[in-house]
Amino acid sequence: MQIKTTRFGTVELEEDKLIHFPLGLLGFETKQRYFIIDSDEAAPMRWLQCADQPELAFLVVEPGLFFPDYSFDMSGEDREILRMEKNDDVVVACLVVIPDDPMQMTINLMGPLVMNPEQRLGKQVVLHDGVYSARQRLIPDNSASEEPALV
């Protein structure tokens, strides 16, 4: 299938590479089909491109690359939406925001995207335990703690 995007032009994609987010993403609940685009310029970050809205793409990264101790528990409801079995491998990515000053970029550790590649399902999980921030600095400020900030 061919999908037109504003950032990457027309992308040739196998349908089995689409990830369905049945509930969408926060603020984009009606946009439910996405796919991952690798980009050498953005590595290790990747793009989560919406298949239904050409201009909608999010920069994402695996949080463990920057925060090795990042972990959270998922509710039974979230696991059910993702059709997860006990031993299913999931992919976790977090949204990245790059402002005018790239040294101030942040990662949303409070709202990770959890994807079950076997089922081609995804869900943005909202962590309510107050451990992680939605605007954690990705590049630590040398004068501040390098631990993920509490909300």
Side-chain angles (χ1 to χ4, degrees):
M1 72 189 307
Q2 291 189 340
I3 298 177
K4 292 182 181 179
T5 71
T6 55
R7 179 171 273 114
F8 306 103
T10 300
V11 175
E12 187 70 35
L13 184 73
E14 297 297 323
E15 192 160 340
D16 68 350
K17 298 296 181 193
L18 285 177
I19 302 164
H20 183 240
F21 284 77
L23 304 175
L25 303 182
L26 294 175
F28 301 93
E29 289 80 4
T30 62
K31 307 303 178 210
Q32 299 177 346
R33 296 183 326 142
Y34 293 85
F35 58 97
I36 300 288
I37 295 179
D38 289 315
S39 167
D40 290 339
E41 294 83 28
M45 297 177 204
R46 305 162 88 188
W47 289 96
L48 182 69
Q49 173 67 54
C50 181
D52 302 312
Q53 188 170 340
E55 66 277 6
L56 186 59
F58 300 97
L59 199 55
V60 297
V61 70
E62 293 179 33
L65 295 173
F66 295 91
F67 302 97
D69 295 332
Y70 182 74
S71 67
F72 57 90
D73 293 321
M74 288 182 42
S75 72
E77 180 182 336
D78 289 340
R79 296 176 70 77
E80 188 175 311
I81 288 170
L82 292 168
R83 287 193 242 157
M84 288 176 57
E85 299 296 325
K86 282 191 179 229
N87 297 324
D88 279 354
D89 288 327
V90 296
V91 175
V92 176
C94 291
L95 300 168
V96 174
V97 175
I98 302 178
D100 291 337
D101 177 1
M103 296 302 289
Q104 302 295 318
M105 76 175 83
T106 61
I107 182 172
N108 181 352
L109 296 176
M110 187 187 287
L113 307 177
V114 181
M115 295 165 274
N116 181 342
E118 279 295 312
Q119 299 293 327
R120 297 185 342 213
L121 288 169
K123 182 174 188 312
Q124 185 169 21
V125 176
V126 179
L127 306 177
H128 295 285
D129 57 12
V131 174
Y132 297 111
S133 171
R135 292 182 189 92
Q136 173 64 43
R137 291 273 306 269
L138 198 55
I139 299 172
D141 180 355
N142 290 336
S143 65
S145 169
E146 292 185 20
E147 294 297 316
L150 296 176
V151 179

